[in-house]
Amino acid sequence: MLVNGLEAWVETPGGAVALSSQRYAPDVIHPDGAERIESFAAEPWPRWTFRLPDGSLIEHGVLVAPGRAATALYWRLHEGRGGTLAVRPLVSGRDYHALHHENPAFRFDAEVADGRVVWRPYPGLPAIVARANGAYAHQPDWYRSFLYTEERDRGLDHVEDLASPGIFRWNLARGEAVLVLAAEGHEHGEDIAALRAAEERRRRRFPSRLHRAADAYLVRRGSGKTIVAGYPWFTDWGRDTFIAMRGLCLATGRLDDARAILLEWAGAVSEGMLPNRFPDRGETPEFNAVDAALWYVVAVHELLAAGRVAAGERQTLVDAVEAILAGYSAGTRYRIHVDDDGLLAAGEPGVQLTWMDARVGDWVVTPRIGKPVEVQALWVNALCIGSGFSERWAALHARAQRAFAARFWDDARGHLADVVDVGHRPGTVDWTFRPNQIFAVGGLPFAVLEGERARRVVDAVEARLVTPLGLRSLAPGEDGYTPRYQGVSPGNGLAVAHGRVRRGLGARPGRHADGARRGAWALPRAAARPPRRRGPRTSPGDRRRRPAARTARLPVPGMVGGRGAAPDTSPRLTASKARARAGRSTFAASGQWGRDLFRACRRP
């Protein structure tokens, strides 16, 4: 994080008029610029219109072109006398997992030349380059005690100090004020008019706002591409990448991007596994997911089914699938191995391998050691896909398919177990009612459970887990169910969001896995449209509208990577409240649910 925000005001004959507002500790909003917002528009980029006391009307826009660490801002006088616009950048130069505080090491010095102002706040960080068509005055100052309410509500550190090296000024009566802030090497070569025109053309190419939002998750990694797991905290994660690719790339027709990503990751297979996380600072990749490689196999299958893969590239992808299946069959890290029944066993104490991966210190919240149900659904699918490339996997696929039905289904309960052979103890079963079983009936290329059993699983999940945000991670009434994700508890002050330790919170990670989950899995298509239709037939028009209606009931899952703060998942949570709380996540357009959503956007 280089530039956190701005202080902006207009100097008029009647005095200074604020155009910005900040929240400071303990809970004070100052100045009053937000009160002058007359209107806001999100398209084609965020724009605010401010009405000054003398009647002047000022438009402020923010434009971020993709592929660069740069932001263009402009202010334009539409009506009235205006005045002198003054803008103070608020600077930190910090990691996005940390907060910034006043310190003597911060460098305020400015290099001013050729319309550029350059600040180098800390050694080893990219310089901040500002280009403006106004005048710069060097006036260093600290702005202290910014209060971040979302961080506060999560129990994290939430008060920050920011540095302001100086002030830019423009006479609005003389024309548009432009300020471009960029990391050194990322400055825009074109002027603001050309930048706006190019961005308008780019945005018009997307069929819908959803397609354009999906584009934001595809980013560069070196010379290739990858999918970022979520804003603002996460980079690319293996599991998230291959789940989200099905919606972000394959469902939107971005086959070249999908192919590039899968080819890039093909070289990362190690002992059958793919990394689940590339650490932010270049450390050794973490191979701590049993399902990341299996989701990769699913993504390869769907890309090859869509076509447009050259023979050599196809062989590279098939070889990667073969390496994954062979590695898992032979046995790999964390006791991942094929058992005598053909199913995939995994896990050892102290390691979180499934998507329920929260950990606090040495406490793995939901260990699920043994044979988790969704891992088996992925494994059977991977074997089925591998059988299409090599006959060597056909017998193992048939054995695993038979064992799954025999070992996970309970006719009296009417649903699937969450884990069998718990803790690698043969014959033990965990019947905890969780959403993971839904992947056995839908959301993957091949259903592992079909017919009446599949119908009963869907009915049970719908009755016990469905919320306006998606599926609870634990059914109400189960031991340990927690309906709300809130509060700070005593302990070591550590929290885990998506497997990452963060300061300031004790018990919340447990609630991720104990019911208060922010819809980490939206219903797959087979669950939204069960095996046999219920009720009267609908008209063609009704059928045409159904995907959009499902979308209204199951909005985009919230929070980064589907992990993080979660709302009340009790039945009283309404759809309108759910939509208001929804955030940004790579799971927003994942899998079959994403396919339905994008198809709905293309329909009249």
Side-chain angles (χ1 to χ4, degrees):
M1 178 70 72
L2 296 176
V3 181
N4 296 57
L6 304 169
E7 277 280 273
W9 65 94
V10 178
E11 298 166 348
T12 72
V17 180
L19 299 183
S20 60
S21 294
Q22 314 289 350
R23 187 184 296 270
Y24 295 96
D27 199 354
V28 177
I29 296 177
H30 179 81
D32 59 353
E35 296 179 4
R36 297 187 178 87
I37 298 175
E38 187 171 88
S39 64
F40 170 77
E43 298 295 333
W45 43 76
R47 291 173 293 135
W48 295 260
T49 301
F50 295 86
R51 179 73 69 176
L52 274 55
D54 66 1
S56 297
L57 195 67
I58 297 173
E59 175 189 331
H60 170 45
V62 178
L63 181 59
V64 180
R68 294 184 182 181
T71 300
L73 307 104
Y74 66 88
W75 292 261
R76 181 186 297 160
L77 180 65
H78 284 295
E79 297 176 12
R81 297 171 56 184
T84 299
L85 173 69
V87 173
R88 262 193 180 274
L90 301 170
V91 176
S92 62
R94 63 168 169 84
D95 182 89
Y96 55 85
H97 290 295
L99 292 181
H100 188 243
H101 298 286
E102 181 176 358
N103 67 88
F106 188 92
R107 298 178 179 177
F108 282 99
D109 301 5
E111 304 167 13
V112 183
D114 302 324
R116 296 167 82 243
V117 181
V118 180
W119 305 295
R120 304 182 188 276
Y122 295 107
L125 292 181
I128 302 168
V129 179
R131 286 186 175 273
N133 59 352
Y136 173 74
H138 194 62
Q139 296 181 25
D141 204 353
W142 281 98
Y143 279 58
R144 303 173 184 89
S145 300
F146 290 89
L147 174 65
Y148 303 138
T149 56
E150 287 294 323
E151 302 283 38
R152 180 191 63 190
D153 294 346
R154 293 177 188 168
L156 304 174
D157 295 339
H158 54 273
V159 177
E160 178 167 48
D161 305 327
L162 300 174
S164 181
I167 303 175
F168 292 92
R169 284 186 169 87
W170 299 262
N171 185 340
L172 289 176
R174 293 179 180 173
E176 182 179 53
V178 177
L179 174 63
V180 179
L181 298 163
E184 192 170 31
H186 287 260
E187 303 107 293
H188 294 290
E190 60 271 27
D191 61 24
I192 189 71
L195 183 62
R196 278 194 293 249
E199 184 62 8
E200 281 191 290
R201 288 194 298 272
R202 188 189 75 87
R203 294 184 177 214
R204 281 198 298 267
R205 289 198 294 268
F206 294 104
S208 72
R209 290 180 64 187
L210 182 64
H211 288 78
R212 192 175 71 240
D215 177 70
Y217 291 92
L218 273 76
V219 300
R220 288 201 304 261
R221 173 177 279 281
S223 59
K225 284 190 175 183
T226 188
I227 294 174
V228 68
Y231 296 105
W233 283 341
F234 299 116
T235 53
D236 47 349
W237 294 61
R239 175 188 295 120
D240 301 45
T241 294
F242 307 126
I243 294 172
M245 178 183 294
R246 304 170 72 200
L248 299 181
C249 298
L250 299 175
T252 58
R254 301 181 66 153
L255 302 185
D256 291 341
D257 290 333
R259 183 177 68 249
I261 294 169
L262 291 172
L263 287 170
E264 183 72 20
W265 281 78
V269 178
S270 169
E271 301 177 40
M273 299 183 73
L274 282 170
N276 192 41
R277 187 171 80 90
F278 291 97
D280 298 342
R281 301 188 184 278
E283 301 95 334
T284 303
E286 297 177 3
F287 291 86
N288 61 336
V290 62
D291 52 344
L294 302 178
W295 281 112
Y296 178 90
V297 175
V298 170
V300 167
H301 167 77
E302 295 194 340
L303 173 67
L304 295 180
R308 284 173 53 182
V309 178
E313 295 173 337
R314 184 183 189 280
Q315 191 59 51
T316 298
L317 298 176
V318 170
D319 289 345
V321 170
E322 184 75 13
I324 290 168
L325 296 178
Y328 276 22
S329 297
T332 184
R333 302 172 180 88
Y334 310 122
R335 296 188 66 182
I336 298 173
H337 65 280
V338 175
D339 215 341
D340 293 339
D341 57 6
L343 299 177
L344 192 67
E348 57 188 32
V351 181
Q352 69 282 24
L353 294 181
T354 73
W355 74 273
M356 291 182 159
D357 61 0
R359 186 176 71 181
V360 180
D362 294 330
W363 173 43
V364 175
V365 178
T366 316
R368 305 181 74 226
I369 295 172
K371 298 170 183 173
V373 62
E374 83 283 4
V375 173
Q376 308 317 310
L378 285 161
W379 174 240
V380 171
N381 268 263
L383 289 172
C384 184
I385 292 164
S387 299
F389 304 141
S390 170
E391 277 296 317
R392 64 178 291 199
W393 304 114
L396 182 56
H397 168 245
R399 179 154 47 105
Q401 177 83 47
R402 290 192 300 271
F404 181 88
R407 304 211 55 204
F408 279 85
W409 174 256
D410 182 87
D411 200 62
R413 288 181 173 88
H415 64 82
L416 297 169
D418 190 54
V419 183
V420 302
D421 294 348
V422 181
H424 300 300
R425 299 187 303 275
T428 56
V429 182
D430 178 2
W431 290 104
T432 304
F433 197 88
R434 296 190 181 276
N436 309 305
Q437 61 188 298
I438 202 68
F439 284 104
V441 301
L444 295 175
F446 307 103
V448 184
L449 197 70
E450 297 183 303
E452 183 58 27
R453 290 181 175 181
R455 159 69 71 187
R456 292 178 67 185
V457 167
V458 172
D459 288 345
V461 168
E462 182 177 14
R464 301 183 66 183
L465 297 178
V466 170
T467 77
L469 288 176
L471 304 183
R472 298 182 180 93
S473 58
L474 184 66
E478 292 279 6
D479 185 40
Y481 174 75
T482 305
R484 294 183 63 84
Y485 182 95
Q486 64 179 14
V488 179
S489 64
N492 60 5
L494 295 177
V496 178
H498 200 39
R500 183 190 300 273
V501 176
R502 292 181 58 81
R503 297 295 311 177
L505 179 68
R508 286 184 177 186
R511 294 172 186 163
H512 281 298
D514 293 336
R517 193 72 177 183
R518 188 190 283 261
W521 297 111
L523 281 173
R525 181 170 59 185
R529 244 185 288 189
R532 289 197 294 274
R533 188 185 304 277
R534 276 181 263 185
R537 288 188 176 273
T538 54
S539 69
D542 289 338
R543 286 196 294 272
R544 219 171 23 244
R545 288 190 292 271
R546 184 175 293 115
R550 284 202 305 277
T551 301
R553 291 197 299 274
L554 295 172
V556 171
M559 196 46 214
V560 287
R563 277 73 169 167
D568 186 345
T569 58
S570 60
R572 67 177 178 274
L573 178 63
T574 65
S576 60
K577 288 181 182 178
R579 283 190 292 271
R581 296 177 186 180
R584 302 191 71 179
S585 162
T586 54
F587 288 99
S590 61
Q592 298 288 358
W593 181 84
R595 291 173 183 270
D596 278 355
L597 189 52
F598 282 112
R599 286 169 180 159
C601 287
R602 286 196 289 265
R603 290 172 178 163

